[in-house]
């Protein structure tokens, strides 16, 4: 496709592509607090000036899972200013919107809402920073979606099987099948791809005439054995992949020679980590699609704060820095001062003529002081640049590679076999890894005997990242109940040695079955959310029934209180709310007072019939530190609680970065030979087609089914 306004006709989609805006990042910082909001405003202005058909976001619109009121207010303000108006929408949605937006209270695209006046629709998936959580599985994007400001799509409703249904869009003769998949933990999604549990649905009619666009928010670079998603996992009928989550800007589409599709990585619009990848100039893209052809125009962002990073390895300069010199530390500090001054001069030179760019740049020196050097005071060093840089507290970062030390008593160690771990990997810490590392190095008397390290790690992560306060407690309860059922089925006698051995066997079997362990964690998280919902419902029920029943929470008197008081109940005080007065006996009626009682989960019953009422004392719950044997014995008399499941039904005129790149997504012979050429007739799949996972419909198939299923399993040609 050629560039310019000549191609912007009635058959050309014009889409603004952006990902990882991270609204609210460092909003409390006096210098960098407004960076995300200023850049977000610039992005929306570009969309408005370029008159795009819609904006496509690849996740992480917000930096926090629960954004502050300031962040939400600033976001809504800019969306109303730039995305609402009288400009008509030039494309239409052909797919079943109740399927595309089935999880929303308003399952239709926002510009078709008669109460809204949208000029630029926004379609967005969620990222790992703003993913759904809590009892109702809501995220910040759902708030904006309910307000009619964005269209949240690509949310998976199942944790066992993923079916990705595309949004079918048409403008003139151009058709786009827009697929989206919100952020899912990489290990889980990796395993689901391996087990062929990810399906991408395709339109039946004219399937070769659709431009297939896929938006995903996952790790693209390898951070571990399964902590990323290889591009080879994706279906080869896709034409372009918009890859979010990775912050380095690689927006120019790169061709995957194995799958024969293109991948565009827009990167973030704000610097959130002082790493070399973030120093690449930030862009958004204007994607033009006409038929099966596409063109990506790179638009540099002018309001992004400058960031300069440089690495210094002291050991590579032995002539300058001799570790035996007593004044070597002062020499290193003077050398770093010169480097920072050079970077500040470069920043001032690049900022000339751009009044939109923030004045103070971000500067980072990464100094490797391996080889016997000593670091200088970074605090004293940073004070010299307080008024000149935006990050005065961390201008210099000292690090050194871990040296392998020979332990006494060990001989014949082959150091050539030692694998060196990259510094980037060593700096990435996750909660579940810390938990696993703790228990692997802990003493035997504090080792886990019932739970697994992996399950406990995920529960702790839910507690830390998602503020699920009952996650750990519910996991322990759930696993205790499951272990009790296991021991009952095995008819184990209540002997401590026998029970301990059976528990170890049961725990080892669970550790081998990772999918079952994932199911246990998910079930415990559902119970934690449901538990929180039930607590809220119980409180609302008590306050809602005040006009009907007066409730006092009573407990029995002591036996020694006398004959007249035998059988009487006295009010007790606690943290719950209930009707009734403090210090009142059961004969007092006709008044409406709020008292405190042991509400919540205590098993109480209050009956009101005429003028008489009867009460049952609260059941005493077992102590939380009950041993496994005691819990096993008590389980013979108490039925285990059943687990509840919840179903959630500019043109660019300067520098080399302004090059427009055109691509033609022509039909590929390796693909066209294995697809149907007409919708009027169907053939049973050949052996090669079966291996590619293509399902062809029989003649008697339901004519109202708009999609045919394409498995995301790998193609037979490999």
């Amino acid at each position: 496709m050629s560039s310019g306004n000549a191609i912007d006709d009635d058959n050309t989609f014009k889409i603004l592509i952006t990902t990882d805006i991270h609204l609210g990042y460092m909003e409390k910082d006096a210098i960098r607090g407004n960076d995300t909001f200023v850049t977000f405003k610039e992005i929306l202005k570009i969309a408005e000036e370029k008159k795009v058909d819609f904006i496509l976001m690849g996740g992480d619109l917000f930096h926090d899972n629960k954004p502050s009121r300031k962040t939400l207010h600033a976001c809504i303000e800019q969306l109303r200013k730039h995305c609402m108006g009288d400009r008509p929408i030039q494309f239409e949605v052909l797919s079943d919107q109740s399927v595309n937006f089935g999880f929303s209270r308003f399952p239709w695209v926002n510009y078709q809402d008669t109460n809204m006046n949208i000029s630029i629709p926004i379609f967005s998936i969620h990222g790992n920073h703003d993913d759904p959580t809590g009892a109702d599985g809501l995220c910040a994007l759902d708030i904006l979606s309910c307000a009619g400001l964005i269209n949240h799509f690509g949310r998976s409703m199942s944790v066992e099987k993923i079916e990705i249904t595309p949004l079918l869009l048409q403008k003139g003769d151009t058709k786009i099948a827009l697929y989206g998949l919100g952020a899912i933990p990489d290990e889980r999604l990796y395993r689901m791809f391996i087990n062929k549990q990810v399906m991408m649905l395709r339109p039946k009619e004219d399937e070769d005439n659709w431009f297939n666009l896929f938006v995903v928010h996952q790790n693209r670079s390898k951070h571990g054995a399964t902590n990323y998603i290889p591009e080879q996992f994706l279906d080869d009928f896709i034409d372009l992949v918009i890859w979010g989550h990775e912050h380095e800007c690689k927006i120019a589409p790169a061709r995957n020679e194995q799958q024969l599709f293109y991948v565009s990585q827009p990167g973030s619009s704000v610097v959130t980590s002082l790493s070399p990848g973030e120093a690449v100039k930030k862009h958004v893209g204007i994607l033009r699609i006409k038929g099966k052809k596409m063109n990506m125009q790179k638009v540099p962002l002018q309001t992004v704060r400058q960031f300069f990073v440089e690495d210094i390895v002291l050991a590579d300069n032995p002539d300058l820095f001799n570790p035996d010199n007593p004044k070597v530390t002062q020499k290193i500090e003077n050398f770093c001062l010169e480097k920072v001054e050079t970077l500040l001069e470069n920043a001032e030179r690049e900022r000339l003529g751009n009044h939109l760019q923030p004045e103070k740049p971000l500067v980072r020196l990464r100094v490797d002081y391996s080889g016997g050097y000593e670091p200088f005071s970074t605090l004293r060093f940073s004070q010299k640049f307080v008024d000149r840089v935006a990050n005065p507290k961390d201008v210099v970062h000292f690090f050194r590679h871990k040296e392998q030390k020979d332990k006494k008593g060990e001989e014949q160690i082959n150091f050539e076999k030692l694998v060196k771990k990259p510094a980037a990997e060593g700096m990435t810490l996750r909660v579940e890894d810390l938990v696993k590392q703790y228990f692997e190095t802990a003493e035997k008397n504090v080792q886990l005997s019932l739970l697994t390290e992996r399950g406990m790690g995920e529960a702790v992560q839910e507690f830390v990242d998602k503020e699920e306060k009952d996650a750990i407690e519910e996991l322990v309860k759930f696993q205790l109940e499951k272990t009790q059922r296991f021991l009952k089925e095995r008819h184990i006698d209540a002997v401590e040695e026998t029970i301990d051995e059976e528990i170890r066997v049961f725990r080892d079997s669970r550790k081998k079955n990772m999918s079952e362990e994932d199911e246990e964690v998910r079930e415990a998280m559902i119970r934690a959310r449901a538990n929180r919902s039930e607590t809220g419902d119980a409180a609302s029920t008590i306050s809602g029934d005040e006009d009907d029943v007066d409730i006092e929470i009573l407990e029995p008197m002591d036996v020694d209180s006398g004959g007249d008081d035998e059988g009487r109940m006295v009010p007790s005080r606690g943290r719950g709310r209930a009707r009734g007065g403090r210090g009142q006996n059961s004969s007092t009626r006709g008044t409406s007072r709020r008292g405190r009682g042991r509400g919540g989960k205590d098993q109480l019953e209050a009956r009101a019939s005429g003028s008489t009422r009867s009460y049952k004392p609260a059941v005493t719950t077992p102590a939380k530190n009950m041993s496994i044997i005691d819990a096993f014995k008590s389980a013979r008399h108490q039925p285990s609680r059943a687990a509840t499941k919840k179903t959630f039904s500019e043109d660019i005129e300067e520098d080399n970065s302004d090059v427009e790149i055109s691509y033609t997504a022509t039909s590929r012979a390796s693909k066209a030979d294995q697809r149907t050429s007409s919708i009027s007739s169907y053939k049973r799949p050949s052996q090669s087609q079966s291996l590619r996972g293509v399902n062809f419909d029989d003649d008697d198939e339901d004519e109202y089914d708009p999609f045919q299923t394409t498995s995301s399993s790998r193609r037979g040609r490999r």
Side-chain angles (χ1 to χ4, degrees):
M1 294 177 64
S2 61
S3 62
N5 295 329
I7 62 175
D8 298 337
D9 52 24
D10 295 336
N11 298 318
T12 303
F13 272 98
K14 188 157 61 170
I15 310 166
L16 187 142
I17 306 296
T18 181
T19 67
D20 297 271
I21 297 176
H22 288 273
L23 286 176
Y25 175 72
M26 294 191 70
E27 62 178 330
K28 296 182 180 181
D29 188 90
I31 302 175
R32 305 166 63 183
N34 290 324
D35 285 5
T36 57
F37 307 122
V38 173
T39 303
F40 183 55
K41 180 180 180 180
E42 180 190 5
I43 293 172
L44 296 181
K45 276 188 174 182
I46 292 173
E48 200 173 18
E49 293 171 357
K50 295 292 185 180
K51 298 180 180 180
V52 299
D53 291 306
F54 63 89
I55 300 174
L56 183 60
M57 294 183 178
D60 280 354
L61 173 60
F62 297 100
H63 182 72
D64 294 323
N65 188 267
K66 298 178 180 179
S68 66
R69 284 174 291 184
K70 173 186 175 181
T71 300
L72 279 174
H73 181 270
C75 177
I76 295 173
E77 176 188 0
Q78 296 302 324
L79 291 177
R80 289 197 59 176
K81 282 183 178 180
H82 301 285
C83 296
M84 300 184 73
D86 297 327
R87 188 166 71 89
I89 306 299
Q90 302 292 337
F91 66 94
E92 57 182 337
V93 180
L94 304 180
S95 55
D96 187 354
Q97 299 183 44
S98 64
V99 177
N100 301 131
F101 310 108
F103 52 86
S104 174
R105 297 283 184 177
F106 304 94
W108 54 80
V109 70
N110 62 346
Y111 72 84
Q112 292 182 352
D113 194 318
T114 57
N115 298 316
M116 308 297 297
N117 202 14
I118 304 298
S119 60
I120 305 178
I122 297 179
F123 295 90
S124 177
I125 62 173
H126 64 261
N128 60 308
H129 280 260
D130 50 12
D131 58 331
T133 185
D136 299 318
L138 297 176
C139 65
L141 291 184
D142 292 320
I143 298 176
L144 300 181
S145 176
C146 189
L149 297 174
I150 69 167
N151 302 287
H152 180 201
F153 76 109
R155 177 172 171 178
S156 175
M157 306 300 291
S158 173
V159 295
E160 298 177 355
K161 183 179 180 181
I162 298 177
E163 289 187 353
I164 308 176
T165 305
L167 265 166
L168 302 181
L169 312 176
Q170 183 172 5
K171 182 181 181 182
D173 297 332
T174 302
K175 300 177 180 179
I176 295 180
L178 178 58
Y179 298 85
L181 181 62
I184 296 175
D186 291 286
E187 295 89 344
R188 182 187 303 169
L189 186 59
Y190 187 101
R191 193 161 54 247
M192 296 181 76
F193 270 113
I194 292 295
N195 297 330
K196 301 179 181 180
Q197 296 173 330
V198 182
M199 311 289 287
M200 299 186 71
L201 307 181
R202 302 189 63 188
K204 288 182 181 179
E205 300 182 0
D206 302 328
E207 67 176 27
D208 291 331
N209 294 328
W210 292 88
F211 186 92
N212 300 292
L213 179 60
F214 183 35
V215 191
V216 65
H217 190 99
Q218 304 290 154
N219 278 334
R220 186 182 180 191
S221 57
K222 189 173 182 179
H223 295 276
T226 61
N227 196 20
Y228 77 113
I229 303 300
E231 295 178 9
Q232 287 72 22
F233 280 5
L234 307 183
D235 286 282
D236 62 356
F237 71 83
I238 298 173
D239 297 302
L240 176 64
V241 179
I242 304 298
W243 206 297
H245 184 63
E246 300 288 352
H247 282 206
E248 183 177 356
C249 183
K250 298 178 180 179
I251 199 169
R255 181 181 173 90
N256 184 298
E257 296 299 336
Q258 182 174 349
Q259 298 299 92
L260 303 180
F261 54 60
Y262 290 89
V263 180
S264 174
Q265 180 179 304
S268 66
S269 60
V270 63
V271 177
T272 60
S273 63
L274 302 181
S275 59
E278 295 271 21
V280 180
K281 191 173 180 60
K282 306 290 187 182
H283 295 79
V284 294
I286 302 296
L287 175 64
R288 292 177 172 89
I289 300 174
K290 184 175 183 179
K292 295 287 286 185
K293 298 179 180 180
M294 68 176 179
N295 166 270
M296 180 70 79
Q297 175 186 354
K298 299 166 59 177
V299 181
L301 294 172
Q302 304 296 331
T303 60
V304 178
R305 189 178 295 275
Q306 295 171 291
F307 174 43
F308 298 89
V309 60
E310 187 169 340
D311 291 341
I312 301 174
V313 182
L314 300 179
D316 293 344
N317 301 278
D319 298 336
L320 296 176
F321 311 116
N322 183 2
D324 297 331
N325 187 341
K327 297 183 179 181
V328 65
T329 303
Q330 184 62 41
K331 287 186 176 182
I332 295 173
E333 184 174 354
N334 294 335
F335 183 80
C336 291
L337 280 172
E338 294 177 2
K339 285 290 183 181
V340 173
E341 290 291 347
T342 302
L343 294 178
L344 289 175
E345 290 175 3
N346 295 337
E348 183 66 26
R349 191 181 306 112
E350 290 184 11
R351 195 169 58 248
L352 290 176
N354 183 9
H355 65 281
L356 299 176
Q357 206 159 38
E359 182 179 353
K360 296 180 181 180
L362 295 167
V363 177
R364 166 59 69 92
L365 285 183
R366 305 196 308 173
V367 182
D368 183 358
Y369 68 107
S370 303
Y373 299 96
E374 292 294 331
F376 54 80
S377 173
T378 58
L379 181 61
R380 185 181 65 224
F381 181 88
S382 298
Q383 288 177 350
K384 302 175 182 180
F385 304 97
V386 169
D387 298 327
R388 302 176 63 187
V389 299
N391 59 317
K393 294 182 180 180
D394 49 7
V395 175
V396 178
H397 171 65
F398 284 99
F399 70 97
R400 60 182 176 183
H401 297 288
K402 294 182 179 179
E403 300 177 357
Q404 298 289 343
K405 295 182 179 180
D406 188 7
K407 296 182 179 180
K408 295 182 179 180
E410 294 184 0
E411 298 178 357
Q412 298 180 354
I413 299 178
N414 188 357
F415 290 95
E416 295 179 357
K417 295 183 179 181
L418 296 176
V419 179
K420 293 184 178 180
K421 187 175 182 180
E425 287 188 24
M427 296 169 62
T428 304
L429 295 176
R430 298 183 302 159
V431 174
E432 54 266 41
D433 295 336
L434 294 175
V435 174
K436 183 178 179 180
Q437 181 181 1
Y438 169 78
F439 285 111
E440 285 179 349
T441 59
E443 298 179 0
K444 187 175 181 180
N445 59 341
V446 294
Q447 290 282 358
L448 292 174
S449 60
L450 182 64
L451 305 176
T452 61
E453 292 84 356
R454 188 166 176 271
M456 178 59 72
E458 292 196 14
V460 174
Q461 185 184 27
E462 288 284 333
F463 175 82
V464 174
D465 294 345
K466 307 297 178 58
E467 298 185 9
E468 289 292 348
K469 299 181 179 180
D470 298 329
I472 302 176
E473 180 181 358
E474 288 298 330
L475 178 66
V476 173
K477 288 181 180 179
F478 181 80
Q479 197 51 251
L480 180 59
E481 294 169 3
K482 190 169 183 179
T483 306
Q484 290 170 356
R485 290 195 298 270
F486 171 78
L487 295 176
K488 287 180 182 179
E489 293 171 359
R490 299 288 296 270
H491 302 288
I492 303 301
D493 295 332
V495 180
E496 183 174 356
E497 293 78 6
T498 307
I499 293 178
D500 290 344
E501 180 61 29
E502 291 294 335
I503 289 177
R504 281 193 294 268
V505 172
F506 183 51
R507 178 176 179 270
D508 293 340
S509 65
R510 294 200 331 273
K511 291 178 66 175
K512 296 178 181 179
N513 193 343
M514 298 178 65
S515 60
E516 181 179 353
E517 190 172 2
D518 286 343
E519 184 63 30
E520 293 175 0
V521 176
R522 287 195 296 270
E523 188 68 31
M525 296 309 104
I526 292 174
R527 287 175 57 164
R529 297 165 185 166
N531 180 28
R532 187 170 59 188
S533 297
E534 290 173 2
T535 304
D537 294 342
S540 61
T541 302
I542 292 176
S543 61
D545 294 341
E546 288 179 347
D547 295 335
D548 298 330
V549 181
D550 290 336
I551 301 176
E552 290 180 354
I553 300 178
L554 306 178
E555 59 187 17
M557 292 284 289
D558 295 336
V559 179
D560 298 335
S561 60
D564 295 338
D565 295 334
E566 185 175 358
R568 286 182 56 189
M569 315 290 284
V570 296
S572 63
R573 298 177 60 181
R575 287 188 290 177
R577 285 180 177 259
R579 295 284 290 176
R582 297 180 183 171
Q584 302 284 333
N585 56 28
S586 59
S587 62
T588 304
R589 298 183 57 94
T591 58
S592 176
R593 299 177 183 164
R594 287 192 177 273
R596 293 181 177 264
R598 300 186 184 274
K601 295 185 178 180
D602 288 349
Q603 302 178 10
L604 303 174
E605 292 187 2
R607 302 179 181 177
S609 176
S611 61
T612 60
R613 288 181 293 172
S614 61
Y615 297 86
K616 292 184 179 180
V619 179
T620 303
T621 57
K624 290 186 177 180
N625 58 354
M626 176 190 296
S627 66
I628 297 176
I629 300 178
D630 296 335
F632 172 65
K633 293 178 180 179
S634 63
R636 297 179 180 271
H637 306 286
Q638 300 177 0
S640 61
R641 182 174 58 180
T644 58
K645 292 189 177 181
K646 198 169 186 177
T647 305
F648 299 101
S649 355
E650 124 158 35
D651 280 327
I652 306 165
E653 299 176 356
E654 299 178 359
D655 71 45
N656 295 332
S657 66
D658 306 337
V659 178
E660 295 183 359
I661 308 167
S662 300
Y663 304 87
T664 303
T666 57
S667 59
R668 300 173 287 269
S670 61
K671 299 180 183 180
D673 295 342
Q674 300 184 15
R675 297 175 179 166
T676 56
S677 60
S678 173
I679 63 171
S680 58
S681 61
Y682 298 93
K683 297 185 293 183
R684 294 194 175 274
S686 61
Q687 183 178 359
S688 62
Q689 291 167 337
S690 300
L691 291 174
R692 289 175 60 86
V694 182
N695 295 330
F696 294 84
D697 302 315
D698 296 332
D699 294 334
D700 57 348
E701 186 183 4
D702 186 359
E703 60 182 359
Y704 294 102
D705 183 7
F707 299 103
Q708 68 182 17
T709 303
T710 300
S711 171
S712 64
S713 60
R714 303 290 22 101
R715 302 310 190 220
R717 56 186 170 85
R718 294 188 291 279

